[in-house]
Amino acid sequence: MSPGFTRKLGLFQATTINMSQMCGIGPFVTIPLMVAAFGGPQAVIGWIAGAVLALADGLVWAELGASLPGAGGSYVYLREAFQYRTGRLMPFLFVWTAMLFIPLIMSTGVVGFVQYLGYLWPGMTKGQGDLVGLAFCALVVLLLWRRVESIARLTTVMWGVMITSVAAVILAAFSGFSPSRAFSWPAHAVELTHGQFWIGFAAGLTIGIYDYLGYNTAAYLGAEVKDPGRVLPRAIIYSIIGIMGIYLLLQVGVLGAMDWHQLLDPNSVASRSVASAVLEQAWGRAAADVVTVLILVTAFASVLAGLLGGSRVPYDAARDGTFFRAYGRLHPRHGFPVLGLVTMVLVTAAGFYLSRHVGNTVEHPPLTVLITMLTTVMVIVQALAQIAAVVVLRRRQPGLHRPYRMWLHPLPGVVAAVGWLVIYGYADRNSPGYHPVEWSLAWVALGCVAFLLWARTEHTWPFGPKEIREELLRPAEPAEPAEQHTA
């Protein structure tokens, strides 16, 4: 069997990997979508709500990642928590769904890259855009075909580019900032008793949490993080707080720089490339071109970081005998999971291509549909199951070493569960005609069938005995011998 991973990623590298994945092209393409969801500058509510959900869910990841720092993140957590009742079903289902929702997240980054490239290449045809996106995916494979420490250095550089690009957009937005534009909300903008507000809120929360996704990327690399009990919780919390500040400045700055109605006009540059439009308005076309290039690099860095972490997901499951064994092999020289990387890049390319050729309408642009589909797929098997895993593990493995324990337990888990259920419950309303809830249930059901076929072949539960393996549970310290007293 090939050797395992080595721990070489520190706090700064783990945080930059998270932030590079979180703040890719996301906010630059979803600001108009957020304004459309809320119907005005009150869209800032969506960014705040998304941050609250990300922080609550991030605390779940922090406890699990610190106590169970293995390759694959959620796979390890669900394997340890649910093995007592359902054997390997939950970790198998997680890997099954992750092989879909992680590449779909990356597909949105490729869509955004091509969308912003259109600002620099206004005559680009749809076919040329398709070729650019597919070449993008091929370049990702080329750059990830190396050792993780060299990739970590690359993502650190790209993190610097990301900070530069968002700082430039924020400065440009506030150079012509108008408080009346940013903070003048339409009449009846927030009516808590009105059903339409909650539909918009759910859509905004979906977009918001999509933009924060990535705070868990370093947890997928748990087997490659130094001192994970200290590093992972800090990397998760620092990245969420940092990105929240960036997003709020971006959203408020854009709303104060231009009339929000421009963001809803499908024929305007602002609706397609809002950051470039803000820069051109503030500093001229040349500055807009330069920063647009930085945004394209930021988009690339986000996809690179996401596929770096995502490709590790099936690795631990395969080595554990819970997924196809070919996914458990590392490159003999560079030490990365070859098949996991190739598979996820191929699904990313397919998601990008299909999103540009299916459902491309003004009312439901491909990016909105992609975001809704990927969030509904991940809610059941990852988000809600992990919240339950914290409770199960505290009861089943009370002796598990927990360098970090969730603050105010169980409140963050309850808040996260409510947020994920709101997203799931309103998914069909926010994407009428695409049935994301039904598709997510069908995918999970198909995964259950695949599990049964696999379990029969492997002679494991429910066709064989359960294998309870508390591999990460440290043995209890031997008790001190009792003092002997003589009469």
Side-chain angles (χ1 to χ4, degrees):
M1 184 175 287
S2 58
F5 293 122
T6 56
R7 296 190 181 277
K8 296 186 177 181
L9 302 179
L11 176 59
F12 181 71
Q13 290 174 322
T15 304
T16 57
I17 286 172
N18 282 353
M19 292 183 71
S20 295
Q21 165 60 14
M22 294 168 74
C23 188
I25 197 71
F28 299 120
V29 294
T30 56
I31 285 176
L33 301 181
M34 187 73 83
V35 173
F38 280 90
Q42 67 271 27
V44 69
I45 296 172
W47 299 106
I48 296 173
V52 171
L53 175 55
L55 188 57
D57 194 58
L59 295 180
V60 173
W61 277 89
E63 175 166 328
L64 294 171
S67 56
L68 301 168
S74 295
Y75 166 77
V76 178
Y77 317 148
L78 300 182
R79 181 195 68 194
E80 291 294 306
F82 295 103
Q83 61 182 326
Y84 302 97
R85 290 189 178 275
T86 58
R88 302 183 187 183
L89 172 62
M90 288 303 294
F92 182 95
L93 285 179
F94 166 72
V95 178
W96 176 266
T97 56
M99 298 293 283
L100 181 63
F101 73 72
I102 291 176
L104 285 180
I105 296 173
M106 299 307 105
S107 296
T108 64
V110 185
V111 170
F113 181 93
V114 174
Q115 186 173 316
Y116 262 78
L117 184 61
Y119 181 79
L120 300 176
W121 184 4
M124 179 174 56
T125 65
K126 193 167 187 175
Q128 290 169 332
D130 292 343
L131 291 176
V132 167
L134 297 177
F136 179 111
C137 296
L139 182 58
V140 167
V141 174
L142 182 64
L143 290 179
L144 289 180
W145 207 271
R146 62 194 69 239
R147 299 194 69 84
V148 69
E149 55 266 28
S150 61
I151 298 171
R153 290 191 291 269
L154 179 61
T155 56
T156 299
V157 172
M158 290 186 173
W159 175 81
V161 174
M162 179 269 290
I163 292 296
T164 302
S165 62
V166 296
V169 177
I170 290 170
L171 288 173
F174 279 94
S175 66
F177 184 77
S178 169
S180 62
R181 280 197 296 256
F183 301 112
S184 297
W185 292 8
H188 311 295
V190 180
E191 289 189 350
L192 301 183
T193 58
H194 199 287
Q196 192 60 39
F197 169 81
W198 291 109
I199 293 175
F201 177 85
L205 181 61
T206 304
I207 295 167
I209 195 60
Y210 157 76
D211 281 309
Y212 285 100
L213 287 177
Y215 52 84
N216 50 12
T217 301
Y220 287 122
L221 302 167
E224 298 163 85
V225 174
K226 294 183 291 188
D227 191 10
R230 182 184 68 88
V231 167
L232 285 177
R234 286 169 171 79
I236 290 168
I237 294 169
Y238 292 169
S239 60
I240 292 172
I241 293 174
I243 292 296
M244 176 180 65
I246 290 172
Y247 286 173
L248 289 177
L249 287 172
L250 274 174
Q251 179 69 82
V252 173
V254 167
L255 290 171
M258 61 177 55
D259 184 349
W260 61 269
H261 292 90
Q262 295 181 51
L263 303 176
L264 306 184
D265 181 1
N267 297 317
S268 71
V269 174
S271 67
R272 300 187 302 274
S273 309
V274 62
S276 302
V278 168
L279 284 155
E280 182 175 348
Q281 177 178 288
W283 297 338
R285 176 74 192 211
D289 287 348
V290 170
V291 178
T292 299
V293 171
L294 296 182
I295 291 172
L296 294 175
V297 174
T298 299
F300 187 83
S302 173
V303 175
L304 188 77
L307 288 173
L308 168 65
S311 63
R312 269 64 177 172
V313 172
Y315 167 78
D316 201 52
R319 284 175 63 99
D320 212 19
T322 310
F323 205 62
F324 302 107
R325 298 188 184 276
Y327 284 91
R329 301 192 186 103
L330 296 179
H331 191 280
R333 179 181 174 188
H334 300 306
F336 67 89
V338 177
L339 191 56
L341 172 62
V342 172
T343 301
M344 289 207 172
V345 171
L346 289 175
V347 177
T348 297
F352 159 76
Y353 185 83
L354 290 174
S355 71
R356 287 172 57 85
H357 294 271
V358 177
N360 193 349
T361 64
V362 173
E363 294 80 9
H364 303 288
L367 193 58
T368 301
V369 175
L370 262 181
I371 291 171
T372 304
M373 294 294 288
L374 71 89
T375 49
T376 51
V377 167
M378 65 181 286
V379 164
I380 300 175
V381 178
Q382 184 184 46
L384 296 179
Q386 279 194 180
I387 295 168
V390 171
V391 178
V392 171
L393 285 169
R394 287 198 177 197
R395 181 171 62 88
R396 289 283 192 174
Q397 298 187 18
L400 181 66
H401 178 58
R402 292 178 171 85
Y404 169 82
R405 296 176 71 90
M406 185 194 303
W407 301 334
L408 302 175
H409 174 76
L411 182 59
V414 173
V415 172
V418 170
W420 289 117
L421 288 172
V422 167
I423 289 173
Y424 197 77
Y426 280 89
D428 278 353
R429 290 192 180 188
N430 291 323
S431 296
Y434 294 94
H435 310 290
V437 170
E438 289 82 352
W439 278 111
S440 68
L441 292 174
W443 185 254
V444 172
L446 187 60
C448 290
V449 173
F451 171 78
L452 291 175
L453 295 174
W454 173 87
R456 178 174 286 278
T457 302
E458 296 289 329
H459 304 291
T460 188
W461 184 91
F463 303 104
K466 295 176 187 172
E467 298 178 24
I468 307 300
R469 296 181 297 167
E470 298 173 334
E471 296 179 359
L472 298 175
L473 181 62
R474 294 184 178 182
E477 296 293 334
E480 293 292 334
E483 293 185 11
Q484 305 235 346
H485 297 278
T486 57

